Amino acid sequence: MPRQKIVVLTGAGMSAESGLKTFRDENGLWEGHDVMQVASPQGFAQNPELVLEFYNQRRRQLLEVSPNKGHLALGQLEQTFDVSIITQNVDNLHEQAGSSHVVHLHGELFKVRSTVNENHILDWKKDLVLGDTDDNGNQLRPHIVWFGEMVPMLETAAQITQQAEILIIVGTSMQVYPAASLIHYAPKQTPIYFIDPRPNIRSSDFENLTVIPKTAAEGVPSLVEQLFNN
């Protein structure tokens, strides 16, 4: 019998309880920087050292943290269900927790790519500095989707969401486009579970929507237990 298809959309709130700071502060700054300084092609062109060091700090931080109970619960879902995770996060905590089908919309911290050939992607866990190049001598850059750049995995994510028999949204406001558009690709009758400690959508906003006002580490394990028992 085919396994039921669960699609999970995750954002920064998914990893917050692992100790990964959400990049953006209340005032919209990223670690004290204007976002366009550290997350745009223009910022990289103007001050590549600043941008590389910004992501070096994120990468070092990622080496020190572990998946939380929410990540681990999603990993366990694969025992019974066909699970795809679509994440806005650039960490690899879903993979560390045992999830085997993860689509990263915004890139990955533990990968870098050529500034000339975007398909030349390398695994990378150490600091990235000026002078680190691909085989042709082209500078490497973080494998991160910056503001103003295409989101290459968006079409794949939309196709996956169209297959959802259950949709779970964790730790994302669903206000940031284009990722926020994905909820509209779910088939009409699909049950949707929205887990966020400060939810900004109401149960009446979508058909079959259940709002769970809890953090990822609390809300995901309890929902997973419920799904296993259904």
Side-chain angles (χ1 to χ4, degrees), residues 22-35:
T22 55
F23 285 9
R24 199 172 300 197
D25 307 325
E26 291 298 321
N27 56 10
L29 294 177
W30 282 22
E31 306 287 320
H33 300 291
D34 177 88
V35 65

Side-chain angles (χ1 to χ4, degrees), residues 59-115:
R59 205 177 293 110
R60 287 179 218 136
Q61 191 190 12
L62 180 51
L63 286 165
E64 293 172 0
V65 300
S66 305
N68 62 52
K69 289 176 181 174
H71 293 110
L72 295 168
L74 290 178
Q76 290 164 353
L77 263 184
E78 291 192 13
Q79 295 168 15
T80 307
F81 298 95
D82 175 8
V83 183
S84 290
I85 294 176
I86 299 164
T87 185
Q88 295 166 271
N89 298 337
V90 295
D91 60 62
N92 69 340
L93 295 175
H94 283 302
E95 288 91 341
Q96 285 188 44
S99 293
S100 58
H101 190 202
V102 184
V103 172
H104 287 268
L105 286 178
H106 295 162
E108 298 179 61
L109 266 179
F110 282 161
K111 292 185 177 174
V112 299
R113 71 173 189 255
S114 167
T115 48

Side-chain angles (χ1 to χ4, degrees), residues 4 7 164-168 186-193 207-210 227:
Q4 199 171 17
V7 177
E165 294 174 83
I166 296 172
L167 181 65
I168 303 172
K188 265 241 173 304
Q189 302 308 315
T190 303
I192 302 171
Y193 297 92
E207 281 182 58
N208 305 318
L209 175 66
T210 303
L227 292 171

Side-chain angles (χ1 to χ4, degrees), residues 38-41 44 51 55 106 141-142 144-150:
V38 291
S40 73
F44 186 61
V51 175
Y55 290 99
H106 295 162
R141 56 162 275 184
I144 302 289
V145 176
W146 286 332
F147 287 93
E149 294 185 323
M150 297 289 288

